């Protein structure tokens, strides 16, 4: 059914102890683990697009063998199960060994295209890296991971994917508000898919322990398999490592610029949640900004410091990359100064990307032939940002409306409060007049005007996975109705299309959702 291989397991040394019990694991990249048996698995949802990439038919997805594999109750031929060791900085502090505490790899599928994809069950039971936790996942967080990773893919944001969402039939105890009132919740397992789940924290683990040979081996493995162009270009190990690190910096910059484009807030940008491939990984207490607020974070655990707030993500990614650089510096082959130079690729790439992205989001051009275009674009965009943060204005609706706005009143629907609109209208009028004049000058012909609208609608989604929409389908699922979940996934498949009849999925956050748990405030409990 699937052609499987396992380069991570076969190339890198592992832990000889086959027990699942929690422990520190030294000198190894992985530990073999056995997924916990679940009581009554059922396939709730799968991604037809991911199945197609893996060459799996609908019949195969619905077969008993597949259900057993996706729930941890059985293996397909060629599957081997293991968890990997990593460490990380959490909320700015060194946290030591973490590892796949509730993620179990099933091996690497070789897709019909020849590409390799690791399959990973999230919530399939304890591993040596579970510390004091149970290795399980609940339905609400699994729905959130499934929906968001697929939505991000369809939005064009690099991400891990989700193949399946399985209800286990087991109950899992969670204290969602950390207030001493645990409740039983339905257990679930998502099968995630990515070329690799290697994180910054994998490198940090070996660096922190002075296990230099293992660190070198991991760098080698990563570059050989996932950065083949860099492997081919550089024979010298240090040069190769530096080129690779600069590439990780650029990829991460492009990723964060995409998050800023669509209004995504990861919520827990710890170094153990940073993919070496520059993918969005580990969907926990993430959120989508409704009103454009750089200070907003969905994560209640982070409410005090707001370290991972929307507008702080670019700086935090850079900080995380510097921690990866520290890990590489322990090898002693590249000085911290040389690594810091490579890290400059981050700022350079981020600045270029965000500039281009927001120019497109505003429908402006810098190739229209006026010497002042670039500076006027910048001033116009900066002025809009200064106004956007003053009032509650829906980011997604605002940008979508700009494409066809002919008067300032066309921006009115993006405002959350009528009073604020009345207060702000005069200032926005001044901005809009300047903006409209600039747009008109840069897009003189009907053909250019049409191209502008098309370009804007390709970067400004109509539909995003608003926090309250996800919570509504979770509430329905808890009541046994999974149809809304499937419908929401379907809407998120075409986020840039108008989708007549589905406008209710593009509406502003309703007032009841402003402070409701799950809609704007999420804990790490999952
Ligand atoms: P996260 O905050 O989700 O990135 O998780 C940080 C660390 O905690 C990782 O090592 C996870 O594997 C681990 N972890 C989170 N939840 C659980 C759980 N329910 N059981 C075991 N380990 C967990
Ligand atoms: Mg994590």
């Amino acid at each position: 059914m699937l052609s499987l291989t396992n380069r991570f397991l076969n190339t890198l040394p592992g832990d000889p102890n086959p027990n699942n019990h929690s422990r520190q694991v030294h000198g190894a990249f992985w530990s073999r683990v056995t997924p916990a048996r679940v009581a009554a698995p059922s396939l709730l949802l799968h991604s037809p697009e991911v199945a197609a990439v893996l060459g799996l038919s609908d019949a195969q997805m619905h077969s008993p063998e597949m259900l057993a594999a996706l729930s941890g109750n059985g293996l397909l031929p060629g599957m081997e199960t293991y968890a990997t060791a990593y460490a990380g900085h959490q909320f700015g502090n060194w946290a030591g060994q973490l590892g796949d505490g509730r993620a179990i790899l099933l091996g690497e599928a070789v897709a019909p295209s020849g590409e390799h994809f690791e399959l990973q069950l999230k919530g399939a039971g304890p591993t040596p890296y579970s510390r004091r936790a149970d290795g399980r996942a609940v339905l609400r967080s699994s729905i959130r991971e499934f929906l968001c990773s697929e939505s991000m893919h369809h939005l064009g944001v690099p991400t891990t994917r989700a193949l399946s969402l399985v209800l286990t039939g087991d109950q899992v105890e969670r204290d969602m508000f950390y207030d001493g009132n645990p409740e039983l919740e339905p257990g679930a397992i998502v099968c995630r898919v990515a070329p690799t789940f290697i994180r910054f924290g994998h490198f940090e683990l070996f660096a922190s322990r002075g296990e230099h040979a293992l660190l070198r081996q991991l760098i080698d493995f990563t570059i050989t398999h996932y950065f083949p162009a860099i492997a081919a270009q550089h024979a010298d190990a240090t040069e190769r490592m530096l080129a690779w690190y600069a590439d990780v910096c650029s990829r991460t910059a492009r990723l964060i610029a995409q998050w800023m484009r669509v209004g995504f807030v990861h919520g827990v940008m710890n170094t153990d949640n940073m993919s070496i491939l520059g993918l969005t990984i580990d969907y926990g207490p993430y959120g989508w900004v409704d009103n454009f607020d750089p200070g907003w974070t969905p994560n209640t655990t982070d409410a005090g410091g707001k370290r991972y707030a929307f507008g702080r993500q670019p700086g935090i990614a850079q900080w995380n990359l510097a921690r990866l650089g520290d890990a590489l510096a322990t090898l002693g082959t590249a000085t911290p100064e040389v690594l810091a130079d490579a890290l400059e690729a981050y700022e350079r790439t981020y600045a270029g990307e965000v500039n281009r992205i927001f120019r497109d989001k505003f429908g402006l051009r810098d190739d229209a032939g006026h010497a002042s275009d670039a500076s006027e674009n910048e001033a116009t965009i900066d002025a809009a940002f200064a106004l956007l943060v003053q009032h509650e204005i829906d980011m997604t609706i605002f940008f979508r409306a700009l494409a066809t706005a002919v008067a300032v009143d066309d921006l009115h629907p993006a405002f959350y409060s009528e009073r604020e609109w009345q207060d702000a209208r005069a200032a926005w009028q001044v901005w809009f007049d300047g903006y409209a004049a600039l747009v008109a000058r840069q897009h003189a012909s009907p053909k250019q005007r049409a191209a502008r609208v098309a370009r804007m609608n390709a970067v400004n989604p109509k539909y995003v996975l608003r926090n309250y929409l996800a919570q509504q389908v979770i509430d329905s699922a808890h009541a046994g109705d999974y149809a809304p979940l499937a419908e929401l996934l379907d809407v998120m498949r075409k986020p840039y299309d108008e989708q007549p009849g589905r406008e209710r999925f593009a509406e502003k956050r309703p007032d009841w959702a402003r402070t409701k748990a799950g809609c704007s405030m999420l804990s790490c409990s999952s």
Side-chain angles (χ1 to χ4, degrees), residues 360-363 397-411 413 432 435-436 439 449-450 452-457 460 462 498:
D360 283 351
K361 282 182 79 70
F362 278 92
I397 295 176
F398 173 83
F399 279 106
R400 192 75 179 186
L402 264 189
T404 51
V406 292
V408 71
D409 288 340
D410 293 325
L411 304 179
F432 189 83
Y435 170 72
V439 167
R449 286 195 287 276
R452 170 178 171 270
V453 172
R455 204 168 56 239
M456 288 177 80
N457 284 347
N460 293 322
K462 169 134 181 172
E498 283 296 322

Side-chain angles (χ1 to χ4, degrees), residues 86 199 272-273 282:
Y86 58 82
R199 303 140 190 269
D272 51 299
N273 291 337
D282 276 12

Side-chain angles (χ1 to χ4, degrees), residues 86 90 98-99 122 192 199 266 268 270 272-274 281-283:
Y86 58 82
Q90 298 187 314
L98 298 165
K122 186 167 175 179
R192 305 197 286 195
R199 303 140 190 269
H266 183 284
V268 203
N270 294 332
D272 51 299
N273 291 337
M274 298 290 294
I281 190 172
D282 276 12
Y283 292 87

Side-chain angles (χ1 to χ4, degrees), residues 86 90 98-102 129-131 133-136 174 268 272-273 282:
Y86 58 82
Q90 298 187 314
L98 298 165
D100 293 325
R102 56 160 165 187
Y129 311 99
S130 298
R131 296 175 289 157
D134 60 4
R136 306 287 194 155
R174 286 289 180 271
V268 203
D272 51 299
N273 291 337
D282 276 12

